[in-house]
Amino acid sequence: MDPKTTADPPKGAARAAERRGYEVPVERGPGGAGTSLAEPRRTGWRARLHTTLELIRANPTGRVALKIFIGVLGAIIVTVGIALIPLPGPGWLLVIAGLGVWAVEFHWARRLLNFTRRNVQAWTRWVTGRSLPVRFLLGAVGLVFVSVVVWLSLKYSLGIDLVARALHYLATH
């Protein structure tokens, strides 16, 4: 293929593809021959992980095995996270971590993870822009919500009614 006949990709599309981690062919200056590939610079453990994943993906069997492994591992993490959402603990954090695992191989998970990241950052910016009393009110509402969810979870899943026990304790002591 003649380098003079190849059309340059639109700059906006190339930038968007590079942001998503794709390699984009870039023409060198008029004196340079051929093309170079734009790769994000990785160092340390990220570089080793990227190299290992690329070696696995180079083999068709390895590619399928990697997709299956990533799919199952992400499903386990997301399932545990969803089970922990109503309980106090890192439920949502595990769901997002499972999405991060899936994002290694699946584009839909990468898009969903980016959507989640953008919205969490927007919520954080919005909350930090409010006055201190409003932030305390939001925190109190969140605490009441989590408390009600924990109470209902314990009552209907384990049969432990904390409110009834607390009222009984107060009445007898």
Side-chain angles (χ1 to χ4, degrees), residues 97-112:
L99 273 177
V101 169
W102 276 337
V104 169
E105 277 299 307
F106 303 107
H107 295 288
W108 61 267
R110 190 174 302 139
R111 287 192 309 268
L112 185 58

Side-chain angles (χ1 to χ4, degrees), residues 18-143:
E18 285 175 349
R19 267 197 314 267
R20 290 187 181 107
Y22 296 104
E23 297 177 349
V24 179
V26 178
E27 281 191 22
R28 293 185 183 171
T35 61
S36 66
L37 297 177
E39 278 191 39
R41 297 182 70 183
R42 292 180 176 90
T43 58
W45 67 271
R46 295 185 93 179
R48 287 191 301 272
L49 179 64
H50 180 72
T51 303
T52 303
L53 290 175
E54 288 304 315
L55 287 172
I56 292 170
R57 288 182 187 123
N59 182 345
T61 306
R63 187 176 21 242
V64 171
L66 182 64
K67 275 200 183 284
I68 291 171
F69 176 75
I70 293 294
V72 169
L73 180 65
I76 290 169
I77 294 171
V78 168
T79 303
V80 169
I82 288 173
L84 291 177
I85 286 174
L87 300 174
W92 283 112
L93 187 63
L94 284 176
V95 170
I96 293 171
L99 273 177
V101 169
W102 276 337
V104 169
E105 277 299 307
F106 303 107
H107 295 288
W108 61 267
R110 190 174 302 139
R111 287 192 309 268
L112 185 58
L113 188 61
N114 287 335
F115 172 80
T116 304
R117 185 179 295 136
R118 279 193 314 269
N119 285 314
V120 167
Q121 288 171 348
W123 168 254
T124 305
R125 267 183 283 159
W126 183 84
V127 169
T128 55
R130 304 296 129 213
S131 65
L132 195 57
V134 171
R135 284 191 265 170
F136 277 128
L137 179 66
L138 288 170
V141 168
L143 186 62

Side-chain angles (χ1 to χ4, degrees), residues 124-166:
T124 305
R125 267 183 283 159
W126 183 84
V127 169
T128 55
R130 304 296 129 213
S131 65
L132 195 57
V134 171
R135 284 191 265 170
F136 277 128
L137 179 66
L138 288 170
V141 168
L143 186 62
V144 167
F145 175 76
V146 168
S147 300
V148 168
V149 168
V150 168
W151 172 63
L152 290 173
S153 297
L154 289 174
K155 182 177 180 179
Y156 291 112
S157 64
L158 299 176
I160 303 170
D161 191 357
L162 293 177
V163 173
R165 285 188 180 192

